[in-house]
Amino acid sequence: MGRVKANQCPLGMRIFACGAALALLGSLVLPATSLAVALIVNEYNCVSSGRYLDGGDYRDAPDREDTYFKPILDLADDGVLNDSNNGRIEGNGGNWIELVVVEDHLDLRGWELRWAETDATGVQTPAFDPWYGDPSIEQGIIAFSPTSAVWADLRAGTIITISERDFIDVDTDWDGGGDDRNFTDGLDPGEADVTIDLSTDTSYDPAGNDWWIHVSSRQEQLAANPLITTVTNVDGDAPGDFSVGPDDWQLSVYNLGGTLDFGPIGEDITDFGNFPGGLSDSEAARLEADPGPGLDNDNYDDVTSTTFSQPNEWGGVFQDFTGIRPTTVTLTSVGSGNWSAPTTWDDGTLTPTAETETVVLGSHTVQVTADGSASSLSINGPAAAVVVSPSRTLTVGRDVELASGSLGFYPAGTLDVGRNFIMSRNTMMLFFLDAASYPVNPGDPMVAVAGNAELYNSTTLALSAEMLSGPLGDLNARDWGPKPLTIVSAVGQLTGTFTNVMTDPAGPHLGYGVFYEGMSYTSNTAVMDLFQAAPGDTNGNHYINGIDIQNILAANKFGIDVDADWSEGDFDGNARVNGIDIQAILAANLFGLPDPYAAADSSEPAEGVLDLVVVPGEGVYLDTKGLTVNSYVLTSTAGVFTGEPAANLGLFKEDSDSRVSGSFAFTLNGEHFLGNIVGPEFPARGGPVDLYEDLYLTYTVDGAKGTYEARLIVVPEPGTLTMLAAVVVAALLAVVRRRRRS
């Protein structure tokens, strides 16, 4: 085993290893049928602690080594044994397993490696049975994370190694007798001459010819979201431990549904045993065939040399992975067009996929109108551009390099980069801002980079607000304040900044109270700082005060049918300034605050309801019912205010057939007579307009947030009152008569 346990009688194993049986190399045991699977075992190590490949001493077999460890040790010729044994270390790396993916785009999340050592019985007390069916047998499970993206899409030909240890210290000095060196067990501090790094490494890039993923099980147990977890019933084992050993060890691979995918592979498996020599504690096991979906038990053998993380080698033959590894296709643009159109690319029949290296040249503009993908993307032309359409995502598995040209994004268009993102000098990133597509989570980046992002000098970020159709939030719900927009986010490092930032329209105000306030950078993000102003903040300085009122008055567009924008007092986006806009200022209840306002509520809502009383022939009254009101807007859809001029209050007043309003610079507590503003042609009853349906009054309360609706009371005309009284009298007489009859 990778480590000798006290309850396993290592002496007996040593006697076996040194006997004549060691020379008999038998086949490892698999079910006798050909395998059509997704994940196979390629190699595993059974060398125990204190032993070496093919021997108990370093000198026993100078040519038995692991090819991965050899260049790390990098030992000079010692004059006794040549360099061929430099990769020969005590324990041969401990417990480790090597797997190969043979099904392309394999999702390994939630899969399990189930192992058992059926001739080893050093189990915990009380014993438990992780999977094998016999709790007296040493066994365990190595489980792949059910959620990690690392395992979500593995390419055929990927090599996965799993080791217990994350670092192996090696003492390369000879012992006193001159027989042993390269010790790894029980070293004292300061004895290590070389450290072999076996920590988790997922910098896997098949398109860049990096096909290896390595995971240390003990290291992963310390991670917040471990890539693998282990469980074992072996006495003394801790989280992250597992066993690989010579005591009839076996391994099976189970998929997410709990179905056997591969195996069992191992020694002396019931019904499949044809392994006369056995596996000793100085050996390993390997596949001696090209990996693929069709294998049988004759393809495996016990061996005395290993090639950790690399294709296996035996008798001068190397494993060939070309039969299962996907090939890379390069597509280069031949003109402007759609990303998904074959005519855009030089091949003329293919379109980019996750396996395609993609190049856009010259002055070609390629539009991503549906979600697209590529292995890599290079934009390299003075006017070359890739533009992502609204709500579409371009996913690039490896690097994106903007060597020259531009990269554009319509609202909610995004780019996901699997490795590194590079913007060279004199390149541009352009995006369009739209309120409807402003992200629910502002931290969601426009460009998400799994590796590093590099922004060289003289790069430009351009923002266009021509598609902006409203504020970045519901102002009625008080959704104002900072609105950061993450442009680039890198899991690794972000280096450099955008040298130039351009906005259209030029200047800080982009429209609808949205203001550009600059860029913020961290070690891995580039964020555009946008601010959504509250109604009344005409200049976006986070205050609402007399300067804003002065700006509205200076624009001289209140109550006039001419176009206006936010800076001139249009806060509801209808391009006009009227009483509704001024009322919105008071409803925000932020005017005159000494400190910058925030998105949080600044007050409680008011209680009570104002009455709007309409008395035909006399006029219209406001009755605040104890409230202190500082604005009102009375609207008539039918335009009934054709009577006398309104007696409005405040600084901002309106008096038209359709609207009567007063706002700012007044407070009202009690009754106020607006005048006989309803024309005589609109009686309360029987006229062409139902005043109950037509009239609508909103108001604000001093010191309270929000806009409120008034209660409408229409007093019947005198003739109507006489008729109603006659009806009531007649009804009472009828009741009296009926009572008399009874």
Side-chain angles (χ1 to χ4, degrees), residues 100-116:
V100 173
V101 176
V102 295
E103 177 184 295
D104 204 19
H105 298 294
L106 176 64
D107 186 347
L108 200 57
R109 290 175 295 184
W111 285 43
E112 293 181 347
L113 307 179
R114 302 180 186 180
W115 62 268

Side-chain angles (χ1 to χ4, degrees), residues 59-127:
R59 286 181 177 271
D60 286 346
D63 59 345
R64 305 306 188 198
E65 63 179 344
D66 181 272
T67 57
Y68 177 76
F69 300 144
K70 179 175 180 174
I72 299 175
L73 295 178
D74 193 26
L75 298 179
D77 188 343
D78 52 39
V80 179
L81 300 172
N82 60 37
D83 284 341
S84 67
N85 68 325
N86 281 352
R88 180 175 173 79
I89 66 172
E90 186 181 34
N92 197 41
N95 290 323
W96 57 261
I97 303 166
E98 182 180 277
L99 310 166
V100 173
V101 176
V102 295
E103 177 184 295
D104 204 19
H105 298 294
L106 176 64
D107 186 347
L108 200 57
R109 290 175 295 184
W111 285 43
E112 293 181 347
L113 307 179
R114 302 180 186 180
W115 62 268
E117 198 157 10
T118 60
D119 198 28
T121 56
V123 299
Q124 301 174 6
T125 302

Side-chain angles (χ1 to χ4, degrees), residues 604-610 624-628 699 701 704-705 708:
E604 295 299 321
E607 296 183 0
V609 179
L610 179 148
T624 68
K625 296 295 185 181
L627 298 172
T628 301
Y699 62 95
V701 177
K705 65 179 182 180
Y708 304 90

Side-chain angles (χ1 to χ4, degrees), residues 543-546 589-595:
Y543 292 88
I544 302 174
N545 50 34
N589 197 35
L590 303 172
F591 182 82
L593 293 180
D595 299 316

Side-chain angles (χ1 to χ4, degrees), residues 263-402:
I265 180 175
E267 181 184 8
D268 283 347
I269 299 172
T270 304
D271 299 330
F272 304 110
N274 63 350
F275 186 29
L279 258 171
S280 79
D281 61 356
S282 296
E283 291 182 311
R286 70 171 169 231
L287 173 66
E288 294 185 346
D290 296 336
L295 300 169
D296 59 44
N297 57 334
D298 292 332
N299 298 125
Y300 287 86
D301 205 353
D302 58 331
V303 298
T304 54
S305 62
T306 55
T307 56
F308 179 81
S309 78
Q310 302 163 345
N312 294 341
E313 176 190 359
W314 64 98
V317 177
F318 290 85
Q319 275 183 325
D320 185 358
F321 282 69
T322 58
I324 59 173
R325 285 178 174 169
T327 58
T328 300
V329 175
T330 300
L331 294 179
T332 302
S333 66
V334 293
S336 298
N338 196 296
W339 180 273
S340 302
T343 54
T344 305
W345 310 103
D346 56 353
D347 179 89
T349 61
L350 300 177
T351 59
T353 68
E355 289 78 43
T356 307
E357 294 182 351
T358 310
V359 182
V360 179
L361 297 176
S363 58
H364 304 156
T365 297
V366 179
Q367 187 85 27
V368 181
T369 58
D371 290 346
S373 60
S375 171
S376 64
L377 172 61
S378 173
I379 304 173
N380 193 355
V386 171
V387 181
V388 183
S389 293
S391 302
R392 300 302 181 189
T393 298
L394 178 60
T395 302
V396 180
R398 296 179 61 222
D399 296 337
V400 172
E401 181 179 9
L402 188 55

Side-chain angles (χ1 to χ4, degrees), residues 401-628:
E401 181 179 9
L402 188 55
S404 61
S406 61
L407 186 60
F409 299 90
Y410 279 96
T414 56
L415 171 66
D416 288 343
V417 183
R419 290 195 63 190
N420 300 318
F421 176 74
I422 303 169
M423 281 188 68
S424 298
R425 294 172 178 83
N426 301 317
T427 57
M428 175 183 290
M429 185 188 301
L430 166 67
F431 74 97
F432 293 85
L433 182 65
D434 175 42
S437 303
Y438 181 76
V440 175
N441 178 11
D444 291 341
M446 191 165 60
V447 178
V449 183
N452 298 320
E454 300 178 35
L455 308 176
Y456 286 95
N457 290 333
S458 300
T459 57
T460 298
L461 177 64
L463 163 64
S464 173
E466 70 176 64
M467 299 180 69
L468 189 63
S469 57
L472 300 184
D474 183 356
L475 300 187
N476 291 325
R478 309 177 69 81
D479 185 12
W480 49 67
K483 299 291 181 180
L485 188 62
T486 302
I487 306 301
V488 180
S489 176
V491 175
Q493 293 291 311
L494 171 70
T495 57
T497 62
F498 290 103
T499 308
N500 307 302
V501 179
M502 302 166 53
T503 62
D504 179 25
H509 185 225
L510 304 176
Y512 300 95
V514 180
F515 290 84
Y516 168 71
E517 297 188 327
M519 296 291 298
S520 298
Y521 297 91
T522 68
S523 60
N524 54 12
T525 61
V527 178
M528 177 170 282
D529 296 321
L530 301 178
F531 181 77
Q532 175 60 61
D537 185 4
T538 59
N539 52 19
N541 68 349
H542 304 204
Y543 292 88
I544 302 174
N545 50 34
I547 294 174
D548 298 293
I549 303 304
Q550 191 175 61
N551 289 340
I552 297 171
L553 293 171
N556 196 31
K557 294 185 177 182
F558 177 81
I560 303 174
D561 191 21
V562 294
D563 287 346
D565 65 12
W566 182 280
S567 65
E568 297 166 321
D570 173 29
F571 305 125
D572 61 0
N574 67 351
R576 296 294 183 270
V577 183
N578 52 42
I580 295 174
D581 298 295
I582 307 304
Q583 190 173 73
I585 302 174
L586 296 168
N589 197 35
L590 303 172
F591 182 82
L593 293 180
D595 299 316
Y597 61 84
D601 287 342
S602 61
S603 62
E604 295 299 321
E607 296 183 0
V609 179
L610 179 148
D611 286 346
L612 173 67
V613 183
V614 180
V615 182
E618 181 177 335
V620 178
Y621 294 83
L622 302 178
D623 185 353
T624 68
K625 296 295 185 181
L627 298 172
T628 301

